[in-house]
Every structure is written in structure tokens, then in C-alpha cells.
Amino acid sequence: MMTLKKGSRGDDVKRLQQALKLYPDGVFGPLTEEAVKQFQTKYGLVADGVVGHHTWSLIEGNPVYKKSKRAINEIIVHCTASYEGNAMTVEQIRRMHKKERGWSDIGYHYVVYLDGTVHNGRDVNISGAHCTGHNTHSIGVVYVGGLAKNGQPKDTRTAAQKEGLLKLLKELKRMYPKATIHGHREYANKACPCFDAWKEYRGL
């Protein structure tokens, strides 16, 4: 999907305006720009009024899938280690990873929200920062959650998240048929993703 900004015209602008419940005249003017900024603010994005990769994925509730140029042989599932029911956005995770860990971007390639929608994180052509020793040849997937209210590890996936994660993994297996699916806990001394991903998804 092309990047849209003030001054853009055409069918993609109409599609954007329809998604934002604006009159679809196909002209990206001040009203469309303001609506985009309000949407970006609501979802924790930089409110610059420019509809790029991340804004599009949130507006449409669909990830932009593309096959990595890297050789992928693993798909590794994580949790955000956040409390059950607490929503997090890609941009919130990105800011946390950049500020607290000093990374250049969010560590994961895909994020599954509480409502089951899948959102793009780091570009798949760039190695992730999610599993030491496995980043160069893997895709990092994370669902929001993983902690009970008392802070203990727990499979907090909502029904929608389970469905969204399954669809995501099926799509990734289609693109990388030789890749195997694993949970982060197989490679680190931690509970993440708080369920047995290898067992649950080994039939894919």
C-alpha cells in the first residue's frame, strides 16, 4: 500500500476516507489529515498525519505480509509479559524497546492484539531482536499478554488472539514451509510465551 499524505489523490485516498468514515472524495485535504492524526493518537502512533506502513495496518486491521529476503527456518512465538487484559500497541512496544533496551526498533516482526488483529512490527527483511542466537534466521511473533493479574506467567490469550495467532502462523508457514514453530521458552530460561507453542502448532 502506498504512503498517503496531504495532497495525495486517488482510489487509495477514497479507501482511507471510507475506513475513517469520511466523505470519500479521493482528495487528501485538511479534514482527512486531521482525522488521520486523531486515529494515530488514539492508537499510540506518531500523529504526523502521514499514512504509512504502520498506520495502514492499524486502519485496516490486517498485516502487510511479505516474504523475507533472509533465509527463515524458525518462527518463534513470544508474549509481551504484560498483564492479562491490558492492551498494548506496536508503537508502545517499539518505544519501550528503543528506550529501555536501546534497540533500533521493536524486536518482533508481528504483534497479535487482544482483539486478535495482527499488526506489523519490525521489517521482516531485518533480523529481529527477540531470541538470542536465533534472530538472523527467524521470524519473531508476539501476542499481547502472558501475565496473570498477580504477575505470574499465564496463557492469557483471548479466543480472538488464539484465532488470530493461528491464522498468522498458517500464513507464515505458507511463506516459509520448511520453518519450524517454537516457543521462546525452548531457547531461554523463562516461561514465555506461557504455553507450549511447539506442541500446539506442530501439526501446521
Side-chain angles (χ1 to χ4, degrees):
M1 187 63 64
M2 67 180 295
T3 297
L4 301 177
K5 59 185 178 180
K6 190 174 180 180
S8 298
R9 294 171 177 266
D11 290 338
D12 283 336
V13 176
K14 288 183 179 180
R15 181 175 171 183
L16 168 68
Q17 291 168 327
Q18 289 172 336
L20 294 175
K21 302 188 185 308
L22 301 173
Y23 178 71
D25 61 3
V27 179
F28 198 128
L31 292 178
T32 301
E33 182 182 47
E34 183 59 30
V36 169
K37 287 181 177 179
Q38 290 177 357
F39 179 89
Q40 290 171 324
T41 298
K42 178 180 178 181
Y43 286 94
L45 301 172
V46 176
D48 57 6
V50 177
V51 183
H53 179 77
H54 297 296
T55 300
W56 265 122
S57 69
L58 273 172
I59 286 174
E60 299 194 322
N62 293 304
V64 178
Y65 289 115
K66 66 177 181 180
K67 188 172 182 179
S68 178
K69 296 177 182 178
R70 297 178 294 125
I72 302 299
N73 59 29
E74 291 180 320
I75 300 163
I76 303 176
V77 181
H78 303 256
C79 65
T80 57
S82 52
Y83 290 107
E84 184 173 11
N86 284 13
M88 292 186 74
T89 66
V90 168
E91 288 304 313
Q92 287 174 318
I93 301 170
R94 175 176 285 115
R95 287 197 297 268
M96 180 178 67
H97 284 181
K98 293 174 73 172
K99 181 178 180 180
E100 297 180 6
R101 304 187 184 185
W103 296 345
S104 61
D105 196 359
I106 183 174
Y108 313 110
H109 297 103
Y110 297 97
V111 182
V112 183
Y113 286 9
L114 297 178
D115 64 1
T117 55
V118 178
H119 303 268
N120 294 98
R122 181 177 293 216
D123 190 310
V124 294
N125 286 322
I126 301 174
S127 295
H130 57 92
C131 189
T132 303
H134 296 262
N135 289 314
T136 59
H137 56 261
S138 68
I139 295 292
V141 172
V142 69
Y143 76 90
V144 175
L147 294 180
K149 297 295 185 181
N150 64 3
Q152 294 299 307
K154 178 184 177 182
D155 180 1
T156 63
R157 291 175 298 165
T158 63
Q161 278 182 309
K162 289 181 179 181
E163 181 179 351
L165 183 56
L166 179 60
K167 288 181 178 179
L168 167 61
L169 294 174
K170 284 182 176 180
E171 179 62 25
L172 293 178
K173 282 289 290 183
R174 184 189 67 78
M175 290 191 291
Y176 314 105
K178 295 183 179 180
T180 52
I181 300 173
H182 303 273
H184 188 199
R185 69 182 192 174
E186 295 176 47
Y187 306 120
N189 184 26
K190 54 180 63 180
C192 177
C194 303
F195 70 95
D196 192 338
W198 181 84
K199 181 178 180 180
E200 185 165 332
Y201 301 119
R202 62 184 176 182
L204 294 185

